[in-house]
Amino acid sequence: MTEKSGPSTTRRGFLKAGLAAGGAVASGGAAYAAGDPAITELQPWMQYLGDGVDARPYGYPSEFESHVKRRNVEWLTADTVSSVNFTPLHELDGIITPNGLCFERHHGGIAEIDPAQHRLMINGLVDKPLVFTMQDLMRFPRENHVYFLECAANTGMEWRGAQLNGCQFTHGMIHNVMYTGIPLKLILEEAGLKTNAKWILPEGADASGMTRSVPMEKALDDCLVAFKMNGEMLRPEQGYPLRLVVPGWEGNMWVKWLRRIEVGDKPWHHREETSKYTDLLENGDARRFTWEMDAKSVITNPSPQAPILHGKGHTVLTGVAWSGRGTIPRVDVTIDGGKNWHQARMDGPSLTKSMHRFYYEFDWDGSPLLLQSRAHDSTGYVQPTKDELRKFRGENSIYHNNGIQTWYVNEKGIAENVEVS
Amino acid sequence: MSKFLKALLATTLLAGPVAAEEFGLGREALPEEIAAWDIDVRPDGQGLPEGSGTAEEGEVIYVERCAVCHGDFGEARGRWPVLAGGEDSLDSEDPVKTVGSYWPYLSTVYDYVHRAMPFGEAQSLTADETYALTAYILYLNFLEDLDFELSRDNFAEVSLPNEDGFFMDDREETEFAAFVREPCMEDCKDTVEITKRAAVIDVTPEDAAARERVESAAEELAEAETTEAATTETAEAEAPAAEETAAPDPELVAAGEKVFRKCQACHMIGEGAKNRVGPHLNGIMGRTAGTLDGFRYSPAMVEAGEGGLVWNDETVQAYLEDPRGYIKGNRMSFAGLRKDEDLAAITAYLQAASE
């Protein structure tokens, strides 16, 4: 069997059949004079034995899903070791991001760390500076939480207008994972905080020595020192064997390859909180310490990488929404560019500082669509339009663009990234 | 799903781990271990080691270990970070965020250079070398002279120009009043027009799989787009400046002004222009190469002028297309302009702005 060409020929054949039928594909697939060969012909997988249990000791997706992968935008950065790639949101459903598809952002490449050689040090304004091995850390009480991690620069290329065609590129610097980790509070208390301990400086063991200042209030609230994601050890590109989890706050603070936490009385103002991750406004002044991620949503299907290929008729629109300040009780959807809005159907678990899944099913009449979604979070904040954001922030802030995304879908179902009046 | 939810609820509703007195885990960190890892530096100078270095000493290290990415004058090559220039650009359409124009604290330079630079050889610089490089970066930004010596003792005396350019996150006070609201659901606007389109900019990476899925349908896209105009009026989208073609007109000059941003880390032009890292460019057209009074040219540039090189549209374009190849051994550290339209635009601008 020609496994390599299988998926594309099958897909193309189906697509052509659909188009030949004038875009109105019957719900059970195209009609055939002598029956669907997928049914009437004996397929190899029906006849011959497949791989046994040990053929794939660590499982991976079907070969027909090989197009589902993280991708980067080469012109964005100087070199892939200090760069970013993007989660293929348009290929995912539910709320959990599979470990291998979680977007990557490195500042000095992936540190490949032998966990036996990994240490976590707590020093600074503590009663007793401590060193932990991974084994020591595994003896602390653990918790499990699902949190989104969004890069502050997600959608950053869109400040000046619609730029990238695909939600993977416009919104893919996010993932949503269940973490297993130790409440940071327990580790800090083990060392004993001095009364003037107001800030921490988590530091990575990678070649960029990533550091960020985190206020003590947050450190003692819901931060985790995590070692597992979705049940298995962290992936190397996600900070194996240890990363900081800072729920609801910008991804850069979630220091990977965490090796040290210094406790201090003032922030450090390091590179990633001065030169970068500060939000330059129109008047030339910049906001600093913009930690929380504002409520945001995006329609993942249809979208430029996921056009409507079935023609008019019953259509499933879906997307994701999240807020760094709580849950998402409601998402509104419009298909006419914001003239009329409909409440989407929320589905799946609603967890604080986690992605939420929404659906809107409608009968598409085949006329052009202007699709938008608008998230409401549990504080009452409603996702603004891009122009509303620009009124406050101008176009140079790079970070924290949570404006409403618009996809234009033409009569053929092809989608494009646009902005509307 | 319900099982999943229940599991989650169980972890959140039941009592979490009790904050015990102490678990007795880990061991005390030794002073030499803390010294090995605790390299961070704060704006108040906490964390700075003994040592010192001059900008002049820093220049030698910089040329050898930093210029390959950051450029000879901190102007940067490719997409690597720009270190110098960008003064007064923060409120412009194209802000250039450098140590001189944007960074609030010098301690950040020391900390970052020492912890992460040179890229791929982190923590290989001594304290003296790091002081010297930090001093040299000040020099590149015209903030100190070449003989300036930076040390732990005088570190706190240096403040960067944009220290007061930052303020604490105020989204809650400034934005929430507008964004916490009950939005319109029905008949919210009369007309909707497309104002911007990604297809016009066309910078999305190629995706063979996606292309295959839509290519059959795409053949009919053009046809569809002519009919869509009836239902959705397409406003004029932003056209990339690069698409403008050669004709010495105001538009071309404006495009050239944008291109000139690549030059302005080193060159000034227009009223009050002075020599910087590079000579000022007033009156450049028609001038013999290497002859502006008061600027120290490379011997190669002087020689080119003596050989009869005069700057005009043709020679400027040839030089900017390949600065190193056109005049071998000259000091201008600029990779060159690759696009013909950029070359046309920059010459139009130089002509217009230097008059």
Side-chain angles (χ1 to χ4, degrees), chain A residues 194-223:
Chain A
K194 303 256 196 210
T195 50
N196 56 341
K198 298 286 181 237
W199 292 80
I200 61 165
L201 183 80
E203 179 179 70
D206 62 319
S208 80
M210 176 59 64
T211 45
R212 284 294 300 257
S213 304
V214 181
M216 188 59 75
E217 200 182 6
K218 180 68 173 177
L220 298 178
D221 178 17
D222 57 0
C223 288

Side-chain angles (χ1 to χ4, degrees), chain A residues 8 11-12 15 19 67 71-72 75-76 78-79 81 91 107 119 121 123 128-132 136 139-141 143 160-165 169 178 190 201 203 207-209 211 259-260 262 265-266 268-271 274-275 278 280-290 292 294 305 307 325 330 332 336-341 349 351 370 374 376 380-382 384 388 392-393 396 398 400 408 410-412 416-421, chain B residues 1 4-5 8 11-12 17 19 22-29 33-34 37-44 46 79-81 90-95 97 102-105 108 111-112 115-116 119 122-123 165-172 174-176 178-199 201 203-207 209 212-217 220-221 224-225 227-228 231-232 238:
Chain A
S8 56
R11 199 182 298 113
R12 285 291 299 281
L15 180 65
L19 289 169
H67 59 285
R71 305 188 59 217
N72 82 355
W75 55 265
L76 272 181
D79 193 297
V81 295
E91 298 283 357
H107 295 76
R119 306 286 182 270
M121 180 187 288
N123 72 308
K128 188 167 69 165
L130 290 175
V131 172
F132 301 100
D136 296 332
R139 296 168 64 195
F140 276 96
E143 290 184 10
R160 296 187 180 189
Q163 184 158 226
L164 290 163
N165 252 329
F169 304 114
M178 178 182 274
E190 189 76 3
L201 183 80
E203 179 179 70
S208 80
T211 45
R259 73 160 184 204
R260 189 172 71 98
E262 182 168 340
D265 59 349
K266 292 181 207 167
W268 279 259
H269 295 288
H270 277 185
R271 178 183 187 253
T274 53
S275 159
T278 47
L280 182 61
L281 305 185
E282 207 161 17
N283 67 0
D285 287 343
R287 282 179 178 148
R288 65 157 57 108
F289 297 149
T290 47
E292 279 176 323
D294 292 316
Q305 296 161 287
R325 300 191 181 90
R330 173 178 155 191
D332 304 326
D336 60 14
K339 289 180 186 166
N340 295 290
W341 293 81
L351 303 166
L370 286 165
R374 178 170 74 191
H376 299 237
Y381 179 103
V382 180
E388 283 173 328
F392 288 100
R393 307 188 192 170
N396 289 331
I398 301 176
H400 294 281
Y408 167 66
N410 71 11
E411 285 121 323
K412 299 294 169 189
E416 185 192 338
N417 178 7
V418 301
E419 284 194 36
V420 293
S421 57
Chain B
M1 189 285 271
F4 181 59
L5 239 190
L8 287 166
T11 56
T12 48
E22 252 185 55
F23 297 98
L25 295 171
R27 63 164 174 84
E28 193 151 353
E33 290 173 332
I34 296 173
W37 274 8
D38 186 357
I39 57 170
D40 50 79
V41 177
R42 285 196 324 201
D44 60 6
Q46 182 187 293
R79 304 270 309 171
W80 298 109
L90 296 182
D91 59 355
S92 75
E93 206 178 280
D94 210 352
K97 297 192 269 186
Y102 192 63
W103 293 36
Y105 304 112
T108 313
D111 177 89
Y112 186 72
R115 85 169 44 244
F119 196 59
Q123 296 193 47
F166 295 81
F167 63 95
M168 188 66 192
D169 182 9
D170 66 348
R171 284 175 291 175
E172 242 173 90
T174 52
E175 297 181 1
F176 279 23
F179 299 158
V180 176
R181 57 190 161 173
E182 187 51 52
C184 172
M185 293 295 284
E186 272 175 54
D187 299 324
C188 303
K189 36 187 163 176
D190 297 331
T191 58
V192 175
E193 289 183 0
I194 293 178
T195 54
K196 291 167 179 159
R197 312 184 69 133
I201 299 179
V203 287
T204 310
E206 274 291 298
D207 181 345
E212 185 171 331
R213 261 172 290 159
V214 302
E215 71 181 2
S216 308
E220 291 159 70
L221 181 61
E225 287 199 331
T227 52
E228 100 206 8
T231 47
T232 315
E238 289 178 33

Side-chain angles (χ1 to χ4, degrees), chain A residues 171-192:
Chain A
H171 289 75
M173 284 195 251
I174 186 167
H175 54 67
N176 201 60
V177 156
M178 178 182 274
Y179 294 96
T180 305
I182 306 148
L184 175 57
K185 184 175 195 279
L186 298 184
I187 296 175
L188 293 175
E189 283 172 351
E190 189 76 3

Side-chain angles (χ1 to χ4, degrees), chain A residues 118-157:
Chain A
H118 193 69
R119 306 286 182 270
L120 176 65
M121 180 187 288
I122 312 291
N123 72 308
L125 298 177
V126 291
D127 297 331
K128 188 167 69 165
L130 290 175
V131 172
F132 301 100
T133 62
M134 287 303 292
Q135 222 170 12
D136 296 332
L137 293 170
M138 298 294 187
R139 296 168 64 195
F140 276 96
R142 300 168 205 174
E143 290 184 10
N144 292 280
H145 296 278
V146 177
Y147 293 123
F148 76 83
L149 181 164
E150 185 185 15
C151 176
N154 200 19
T155 322
M157 291 84 83

